[in-house]
Amino acid sequence: MKTPVKIIGINGSPKGEKSQTRRLVLAVLEGARAAGADVMFVDICALKIRYCTACATCYAKGECVHDDDMPALYEKLLDADGIVLGSPVYINSVTAQLKTMLDRMADSVHCLHFTGKYGCAVSTAGGAMADETADYMNSAMRMLGATTVGTVGVNFMGNPDLIVPAGKKAKDLGRKLAEAIRTEWKDPAQQAYYADRKARMKQLVLANKDVWTHEFDHWKAMGWI
């Protein structure tokens, strides 16, 4: 029997159960579950995640100086096959809570820890920039090595009923995410991006191999250098 696809959804809204973004993340997970995936939902605003201080300890040792909820969340992300990121638009971008999580993953950017994983993103806005914010979240996942399969963004503009068609699109996106994982879908444009990014990360790690020892050891263990 094949191991079920594992998908984790991260909600970056601080509004709890009142969050429209939460509804979209859950809709993606519902669609993925209907396609046979095992799903997990995380409200990141309920976690304690401290700011990155750019100390570079993770580059050298593969661990962070902070004692908080990020390591446990990160293990869940690494265990997942697919990742759904969701955030409302706060001044043309993601919430501080979600951005803090992303900033704590600098080591993973260098190590491309999400290689082989898949992702998608959803965003809501009272006015504008929902699509752009969802695109930003997908770009962050591609920096980590993941292949992204799409977005759903909704700008309400005073019309809360728009969550209904957006929810349907989110469910479809969840099914698409699960299928992409199952079939190991490849996108030629993203594959070219990854090849270029991997080459640049390799040069960066090699240039700093004497101080970024953890990352250099990771690249050797992966057979990339």
Side-chain angles (χ1 to χ4, degrees):
M1 180 181 296
K2 291 184 178 180
T3 303
V5 167
K6 297 179 182 178
I7 296 176
I8 184 171
I10 307 292
N11 175 33
S13 170
K15 296 182 73 173
E17 294 188 0
K18 296 180 180 180
S19 166
Q20 297 284 47
T21 301
R22 183 180 191 272
R23 290 180 63 178
L24 289 188
V25 173
L26 289 173
V28 175
L29 295 180
E30 183 179 342
R33 184 189 291 113
D38 285 346
V39 302
M40 174 187 296
F41 174 79
V42 175
D43 184 348
I44 199 169
C45 296
L47 304 180
K48 178 184 177 183
I49 300 178
R50 299 178 65 184
Y51 299 132
C52 175
T53 63
C55 68
T57 300
C58 58
Y59 302 166
K61 298 182 178 181
E63 58 189 38
C64 186
V65 296
H66 292 316
D67 180 14
D68 59 11
D69 293 328
M70 186 61 190
L73 174 60
Y74 187 57
E75 287 301 315
K76 292 181 175 68
L77 291 169
L78 288 180
D79 187 53
D81 303 298
I83 298 161
V84 184
L85 296 183
S87 176
V89 178
Y90 278 23
I91 309 185
N92 294 346
S93 190
V94 297
T95 60
Q97 291 89 341
L98 187 64
K99 185 61 166 64
T100 300
M101 181 197 81
L102 294 173
D103 287 347
R104 286 284 296 278
M105 300 172 75
D107 176 51
S108 289
V109 171
H110 292 169
C111 291
L112 303 174
H113 278 151
F114 283 17
T115 299
K117 298 185 186 300
Y118 290 78
C120 64
V122 297
S123 182
T124 63
M129 296 292 290
D131 290 331
E132 292 85 349
T133 299
D135 286 340
Y136 165 74
M137 289 183 276
N138 268 358
S139 72
M141 285 190 279
R142 288 192 294 270
M143 285 185 66
L144 292 159
T147 298
T148 57
V149 303
T151 64
V152 174
V154 54
N155 299 307
F156 290 111
M157 298 294 290
N159 184 1
D161 292 339
L162 290 177
I163 194 65
V164 176
K168 292 178 180 178
K169 291 179 181 178
K171 288 180 184 178
D172 289 340
L173 183 59
R175 286 188 281 267
K176 182 178 181 181
L177 177 61
E179 184 64 17
I181 296 168
R182 187 172 293 110
T183 61
E184 299 183 353
W185 174 75
K186 298 291 188 292
D187 173 29
Q190 290 189 60
Q191 290 298 109
Y193 166 83
Y194 300 140
D196 177 71
R197 184 157 188 79
K198 189 173 181 180
R200 288 188 287 124
M201 289 299 101
K202 178 179 179 178
Q203 292 306 312
L204 186 63
V205 170
L206 284 172
N208 293 277
K209 65 180 182 179
D210 293 334
V211 288
W212 296 359
T213 51
H214 152 72
E215 293 187 348
F216 181 68
D217 289 343
H218 169 78
W219 275 71
K220 285 199 300 181
M222 294 296 294
W224 294 344
I225 54 177

